[in-house]
Amino acid sequence: APAADKKLTGLVAAAFTPFTAQGEINVAEIGRYINYLREKQGVRSVFVNGTTGESMSLTVAERKTLAEAWCLKAKGKMDQVIVHVGCMSVKDSQELAHHAAQIGADGIAVIAPSFFKPNTAEALKKFLHEVASVAPSLPFYYYHIPAVTGVNVLGRDLMEGIEELIPSFRGVKFSGEDLMDFGQCVSYSKPHWSALYGVDEQLLAALAMGAHGAVGSTYNYLGCHFNELISAFEKDSLDQARTIQFKVQELLSYAKKLGFDLGVNKQLMNEVSGLCLGPPRLPLMPCPPERAQSIMKKYHSIFPDC
Amino acid sequence: APAADKKLTGLVAAAFTPFTAQGEINVAEIGRYINYLREKQGVRSVFVNGTTGESMSLTVAERKTLAEAWCLKAKGKMDQVIVHVGCMSVKDSQELAHHAAQIGADGIAVIAPSFFKPNTAEALKKFLHEVASVAPSLPFYYYHIPAVTGVNVLGRDLMEGIEELIPSFRGVKFSGEDLMDFGQCVSYSKPHWSALYGVDEQLLAALAMGAHGAVGSTYNYLGCHFNELISAFEKDSLDQARTIQFKVQELLSYAKKLGFDLGVNKQLMNEVSGLCLGPPRLPLMPCPPERAQSIMKKYHSIFPDC
Amino acid sequence: APAADKKLTGLVAAAFTPFTAQGEINVAEIGRYINYLREKQGVRSVFVNGTTGESMSLTVAERKTLAEAWCLKAKGKMDQVIVHVGCMSVKDSQELAHHAAQIGADGIAVIAPSFFKPNTAEALKKFLHEVASVAPSLPFYYYHIPAVTGVNVLGRDLMEGIEELIPSFRGVKFSGEDLMDFGQCVSYSKPHWSALYGVDEQLLAALAMGAHGAVGSTYNYLGCHFNELISAFEKDSLDQARTIQFKVQELLSYAKKLGFDLGVNKQLMNEVSGLCLGPPRLPLMPCPPERAQSIMKKYHSIFPDC
Amino acid sequence: APAADKKLTGLVAAAFTPFTAQGEINVAEIGRYINYLREKQGVRSVFVNGTTGESMSLTVAERKTLAEAWCLKAKGKMDQVIVHVGCMSVKDSQELAHHAAQIGADGIAVIAPSFFKPNTAEALKKFLHEVASVAPSLPFYYYHIPAVTGVNVLGRDLMEGIEELIPSFRGVKFSGEDLMDFGQCVSYSKPHWSALYGVDEQLLAALAMGAHGAVGSTYNYLGCHFNELISAFEKDSLDQARTIQFKVQELLSYAKKLGFDLGVNKQLMNEVSGLCLGPPRLPLMPCPPERAQSIMKKYHSIFPDC
């Protein structure tokens, strides 16, 4: 089992995957990306090849190349690089888990397979176990996102007895609105586990429920504000934390009304950061320029100084 | 417009409707019920004829009889009696709203009609306006519970410009897990409005988001614990508040695994309170006795002193 | 139990409820409506106060007035008047069932209650039984429409042993796309029962599966074409039947793209028939005039002679 | 564009993927499998690496090995081998499409990607186009299964103008219950296209709507009965066709009540055929033996002679 001394906390950016204009992965941009997160957003950990990274649209070879580049370039700059290795195929996931161990990732995460859906906690645990067992020295995180996967196993049920099965288990990225389940996960967690919340627009609620950290896509470009939110929360300045959360909500609910998918999200990151992460890959469509403009205008009106 | 000086806050019990063993409404139990809420649970406001009160299974005449008994017997004992007057038929709702004004209710609430679903905020507002306008002197609350009604109009969109249409508008009972929408409702609320949260198992999260109060069924029998939770929250003792919330979650997640519908919920109230509220009415089925026993055992193990 | 000699077959129009411009029910139009169905559409049975009739938006008193008018004016002109008496409240349904027997209805039907949802076949049967038992001499039909009610009890499971519980049971109005369940209902039906299909746009498929008749809203204005479809089917002219079905599909899929709710449907009936059935009642919104015009243009292009 | 002379019709078995007891693909069983389909079930075409074949749980390399074995061993024995090449990643799909052309497949099919969901017909067509264009000489089929993918683009909308974009387009495998959409697909189809239906339990309904053939998993072991059903239908013996369809429905609704996922389905095939196709791969779980026994008992009671 991995060392228990690197508990994952704070903000973790769910990284976008940089593409060239031709739609090929563009590892050259990763160095700049890491500097940006660290210097401009105060973010020190990344979650790569996850949903935000369009992993399901990548080949296994591309995911390896990306994971390797992230681990290499983050050395000395990021606290932790968590590599998501979940695939529809358990064999592909095993290959990626094995690879993650070789390249020095700080941990791996696995989403529930969503085409064939494990319909019990037992089936899901068996699947995760098959993957975790090929990289037993790496901290293992379960990535819970039922609205996307359609796998409705409760996070708390997944955790039941998980350490006997997966000694490297270290926590959950919980991307759901069911805060009873999330609270029960927090309550059940061992001290060296991390209950990380994944719905950025209501992070404050999860902090109240005891979240140890957060993984999300908007931390790429709103990290500085969320770091302030977390500081305010830790100082019991709930009013201040709430003010920041409401601002984020105002931006994101505005974006949602216009249509806010991953392509739009990525374009916001391009515009706020100045990085060249390109458009998303099919079946996602590029962000219509006028939509990005409208949202950026709103962004500047809500966050004039950043 | 109604006086703006009675802002609804704190815990509001969503009242069960007392039935006789023969399935007829039993207003005789209401006096004892009110005393119980006040003395044992520290609850000073009630929401009657709502979902918990099985209003949709009652006739218009029964709803009037119940509303009248609640208003009469609560006088001097409860701070506020809010009468839910929502029906599938706007005409039935109008009749009940008119009646609520006559019997001295402190406010009325209306759920979105769920058989024919208003599919825009505009249609929903028109429906609510038709009801509110027959009782213009009563504070008016919108009852938002999208998972039950299937009406997915955002609470925040409903609030947009609502005071011009419904001058008596005073807030929302928000029974949903979308805390971005809830946060935006809180943020948009006028000082004399109330953003009341309705998912008891995650009340703490909503308090962090700025909830002014809470309406729910478990406050009938867990009100004393939730009052402690709110006190702890107000004193910035988040750890203590969280401990109480986790206990409630432990009980309710246990109940949910066994099957926790309104019939089971009502039976818990019968057992905890000693009141005789009877079984629910069809199409709800009575709680299987062994299920009530299992949940009560869990209840006593979690809350040994109450 | 009722006489077993009036098996319900053929097309049954799910009747719209006529309203005045002021939104009050308008029984004066019912006589003309009946003549129109009989003479222009060749339809000889009606299903009143159902979904198409906006029953859930009506008061109990209004439903009685309407049922009475339909029964009275249909005498000698229609083969059967089926009165839908389903309500959210079992007591309201009982009152309407009792009334239907008094006014000489040819049968009653009941939808599953959809606010509180019976979650087993047993609970649903109990509810239906409570209603049927106050009008034991009237043929009783279960109205199955799971996509609207959210009650996912299979029709076939509902039928299991139903005659012992409800001796007046005579069949089902099956408004669903699950033709395995519908086929199993047909297969299980007693000779004096009727398996009536309710998704007009795929009636031909249900006829192949053995449907004995059909209840739907478009038979109000497309009845003549559907009568031809049925005739063709009965003569094994499947190609001809399919041609008519495809035409109907072309019209309805066009309407669906523009937005085809009950308000639009009602306006089509007004325009095709020349009757004055008014707009729908809230929460339904009136049909935007330009939408009705577009659909009527399509209608005339597909059915130039009728 | 491919030759237009091999219109796909009749029964197409959606093939299971043979696994060894150790969970590795087992191409050695494919020859026997083909003989079984041809000789015992009268099935002359197969759809490999589809949902039934657990393609999403396979690696790209495994899918190639399987496709190759099927094409090789089917030569001279099967009319057509359609290779499903749909993946979450467009690049993986392209690789498989290119490979299918090299190994002499008779056609390829692509499912809508379901993790990131194309939310317009345009996005879906672009994705399909990217895949089809690397194998322009192979007949291309779109695999429509909205309940599984969550991609709710209508089949008819997908077909609109598709031949300009994908000249090799040859039809759809339509696995859905919306027979209005299916009917509109049939009606819009060019003479050399195939509208193939994929919900075995209601094939008769689709035949009435004009289906040209059928692709499904139960044709693996109920093909002989379905061939009879189709013959009866073609001779206008609807009663006879219905009797067979009802028998199949009786079996499948019985299985559904016990739990009928792909693991169970595969085990039925093992038991009926005597082939050794093994258990499914994770996240699917093996069929509990007592469940297989119960369903087999039912099978023998319904189909005593086969």
Side-chain angles (χ1 to χ4, degrees), chain C:
Chain C
D5 58 351
K6 289 210 319 182
K7 178 160 173 162
L8 187 56
T9 59
L11 291 186
V12 181
F16 295 98
T17 289
F19 287 119
T20 64
Q22 289 72 41
E24 300 300 319
I25 57 169
N26 180 16
V27 296
E29 195 73 0
I30 291 174
R32 284 181 61 205
Y33 193 164
I34 288 168
N35 291 341
Y36 175 81
L37 288 176
R38 178 186 164 100
E39 289 160 23
K40 301 290 181 187
Q41 299 294 344
V43 168
R44 304 295 290 255
S45 292
V46 284
F47 185 91
V48 308
N49 291 343
T51 301
T52 306
E54 295 176 70
S55 57
M56 296 301 171
S57 300
L58 302 171
T59 67
V60 167
E62 287 175 327
R63 287 173 72 164
K64 285 183 183 176
T65 304
L66 286 160
E68 221 164 314
W70 279 101
C71 286
L72 188 71
K73 297 188 185 175
K75 202 147 287 173
K77 295 190 170 170
M78 287 275 142
D79 288 345
Q80 295 204 34
V81 177
I82 308 301
V83 178
H84 176 253
V85 301
C87 299
M88 297 296 152
S89 163
V90 71
K91 293 220 166 222
D92 285 341
S93 284
Q94 288 175 319
E95 183 173 341
L96 290 173
H98 182 74
H99 177 259
Q102 289 179 315
I103 60 174
D106 297 288
I108 54 174
V110 174
I111 197 171
S114 61
F115 189 86
F116 296 115
K117 298 182 201 298
N119 46 21
T120 61
E122 186 204 352
L124 177 53
K125 285 184 207 181
K126 281 201 177 193
F127 184 93
L128 299 181
H129 169 61
E130 290 284 305
V131 181
S133 62
V134 304
S137 64
L138 285 186
F140 181 91
Y141 301 90
Y142 166 55
Y143 176 11
H144 180 70
I145 184 165
V148 166
T149 61
V151 175
N152 291 311
V153 172
L154 292 175
R156 176 60 184 78
D157 288 347
L158 185 281
M159 282 186 174
E160 187 72 36
I162 193 78
E163 246 185 348
E164 283 93 86
L165 196 66
I166 304 178
S168 55
F169 187 82
R170 288 296 176 272
V172 65
K173 167 183 183 341
F174 191 104
S175 296
E177 296 183 353
D178 179 350
L179 294 177
M180 174 156 79
D181 186 28
F182 181 66
Q184 290 292 284
C185 286
V186 170
S187 169
Y188 186 76
S189 286
K190 304 285 162 62
H192 57 295
W193 293 5
S194 297
L196 307 160
Y197 196 61
V199 185
D200 311 0
E201 47 272 50
Q202 54 183 59
L203 173 59
L204 175 57
L207 291 174
M209 211 58 97
H212 308 113
V215 185
S217 62
T218 69
Y219 307 139
N220 282 292
Y221 51 90
L222 297 173
C224 51
H225 303 291
F226 275 104
N227 273 321
E228 274 184 56
L229 185 161
I230 292 173
S231 295
F233 177 81
E234 287 174 350
K235 280 180 267 173
D236 288 331
S237 301
L238 269 177
D239 283 350
Q240 197 193 332
R242 203 178 289 138
T243 300
I244 301 168
Q245 183 72 80
F246 286 174
K247 284 183 182 180
V248 170
Q249 291 181 343
E250 190 186 345
L251 177 64
L252 297 180
S253 58
Y254 180 84
K256 265 187 150 177
K257 276 210 197 311
L258 297 184
F260 186 57
D261 63 8
L262 191 43
V264 177
N265 203 351
K266 195 173 191 180
Q267 186 55 27
L268 290 195
M269 177 58 176
N270 280 328
E271 307 221 357
V272 174
S273 69
L275 294 168
C276 293
L277 305 177
R281 180 176 282 180
L282 281 171
L284 292 170
M285 300 286 272
C287 177
E290 65 284 4
R291 195 182 302 171
Q293 276 165 33
S294 296
I295 302 173
M296 283 308 296
K297 204 174 148 193
K298 187 79 176 173
Y299 166 81
H300 286 302
S301 79
I302 298 173
F303 300 109
D305 307 321
C306 180

